[in-house]
Amino acid sequence: GVNDLVKSALEGFEADENLRIEFVANGDLRISGDADFLRQVFTNIFQNARQAMRGAGVLKIEIAEAKRDGKNFAALKISDTGGGIAPEHLDKIFDPFY
């Protein structure tokens, strides 16, 4: 399930006295997709969060079931206590290699 993918992406991303990881999952939802690709996506997001927090702060991962157009989905909310994105850069965040 998605919980196992997230946990495997967190391997090697141990919390310490400066970094706390909060993982909240409402059940273990099964998802379809390329597990290796999804694990890499999660790993990249977690590494970006660590960099944004400069190694200190809280990384929070919440997983819940969501419904949209009559279909079931796993909804992931990933947040960190980093500084965020400067307003003048928001229009560029989806540009490749920005």
Side-chain angles (χ1 to χ4, degrees), residues 7-8 13 16-17 41 45 70 83:
K7 288 177 185 176
S8 68
F13 196 86
D16 57 33
E17 64 274 0
V41 168
I45 292 171

Side-chain angles (χ1 to χ4, degrees), residues 35-55:
D36 291 330
F37 177 78
L38 290 169
R39 187 178 304 104
Q40 187 61 51
V41 168
F42 298 147
T43 299
N44 291 347
I45 292 171
F46 302 154
Q47 288 174 345
N48 287 347
R50 173 174 264 162
Q51 290 172 354
M53 294 185 290
R54 293 179 165 78

Side-chain angles (χ1 to χ4, degrees), residues 45-81:
I45 292 171
F46 302 154
Q47 288 174 345
N48 287 347
R50 173 174 264 162
Q51 290 172 354
M53 294 185 290
R54 293 179 165 78
V58 179
L59 171 64
K60 186 172 185 177
I61 304 137
E62 300 174 83
I63 303 173
E65 186 174 0
K67 288 188 182 256
R68 183 179 222 169
D69 299 327
K71 296 179 182 178
N72 296 330
F73 292 89
L76 278 78
K77 179 180 178 184
I78 302 169
S79 59
D80 63 63
T81 56

